[in-house]
Amino acid sequence: MAYEKSVASTTTTLDPSVIKVLRNTYALLAMTLAFSAIMCGVAMAINAPYMGLWTLLPFFICLWMVEKNKNSSAGLIWVFALTGWMGFTLGPIISFYLATSGTEPVITALGGTALIFLACSGYVLVTRKELSFMGGFLMVGILMAFVAAIANFFLQIQGLALALSCIFLLISSGVIMWQTSAIIHGGERNYISATVTLYVMIYNVFTSLLHLLGMSND
């Protein structure tokens, strides 16, 4: 009986409000990824320098403005400001890997990122897993990894950098699943917040894969 109930719950049609949030989230996510790619191309074209930790200041300002305006149309402007900036800062990183390792790690990282996103979100959409219990663990984990990454920016420990890339890859994949589950089960009804979360995790997955592949080639 319990098994039949579980099967029935996973095959039930999604609520219209859930479908609306999913549709708006994925549509905005696609647009921000495209805009981010354009800004990345601009940075590469003008040979923009890598700015290190200074990239975090505009990031946090835009992130704060997104959160403040997420319930208004102004939130969309700040979403594109945030993702455009992140795309721009990705330009020098990709240029570095193209110059040192060629196109293979970049293309492989792009393909791997798409595969991981589709697998993580697809699994939750199909199984309808309720993953709210993962939220606290994932947030603490990504915060600790972020602090460790800032520390390693100064320490320059290659082994720690490798470990952090693996940790970011795993945690970001988990957050993609958690965020998708939150949309399905009513924990997230703001598509702007959902888009930003998914975008940042996709960015983390891509840069982590790129780092791991670049180190492998070295």
Side-chain angles (χ1 to χ4, degrees):
M1 180 66 74
Y3 174 76
E4 291 176 355
K5 183 178 180 181
S6 175
V7 172
S9 66
T10 59
T11 56
T12 302
T13 304
L14 290 173
D15 186 88
S17 62
V18 172
I19 295 175
K20 181 179 179 180
V21 176
L22 282 172
R23 182 175 64 246
N24 290 342
T25 298
Y26 288 139
L28 183 58
L29 182 63
M31 288 187 286
T32 55
L33 288 171
F35 182 63
S36 188
I38 292 173
M39 294 305 297
C40 178
V42 169
M44 295 172 67
I46 65 174
N47 198 26
Y50 177 63
M51 290 174 280
L53 294 180
W54 287 108
T55 62
L56 295 178
L57 181 59
F59 169 78
F60 282 119
I61 291 174
C62 291
L63 192 62
W64 182 76
M65 292 301 296
V66 168
E67 183 63 23
K68 183 179 179 181
N69 297 280
K70 66 181 181 181
N71 295 312
S72 67
S73 57
L76 292 172
I77 297 174
W78 285 106
V79 168
F80 281 98
L82 173 67
T83 56
W85 172 250
M86 293 182 72
F88 187 84
T89 61
L90 193 59
I93 298 174
I94 293 180
S95 294
F96 170 78
Y97 282 102
L98 289 175
T100 57
S101 303
T103 59
E104 183 178 352
V106 177
I107 294 174
T108 305
L110 282 171
T113 301
L115 183 61
I116 289 172
F117 176 75
L118 291 174
C120 291
S121 57
Y123 171 75
V124 177
L125 288 170
V126 171
T127 63
R128 311 288 171 83
K129 290 285 187 180
E130 213 292 313
L131 303 176
S132 60
F133 66 92
M134 295 172 56
F137 167 77
L138 290 170
M139 293 305 108
V140 171
I142 205 163
L143 178 61
M144 292 177 63
F146 179 74
V147 172
I150 292 178
N152 200 47
F153 181 83
F154 300 100
L155 298 174
Q156 294 295 309
I157 301 174
Q158 188 172 14
L160 179 57
L162 178 62
L164 286 171
S165 292
C166 295
I167 291 171
F168 269 113
L169 181 59
L170 292 173
I171 294 179
S172 297
S173 299
V175 174
I176 290 172
M177 297 172 65
W178 170 80
Q179 181 65 86
T180 306
S181 175
I183 296 173
I184 292 175
H185 295 285
E188 179 64 85
R189 283 292 176 264
N190 189 293
Y191 72 96
I192 289 179
S193 293
T195 297
V196 169
T197 300
L198 291 175
Y199 176 91
V200 173
M201 294 307 111
I202 290 172
Y203 183 97
N204 287 344
V205 169
F206 174 70
T207 53
S208 296
L209 284 175
L210 190 58
H211 185 209
L212 291 171
L213 291 167
M215 291 184 70
S216 175
N217 284 346
D218 289 342

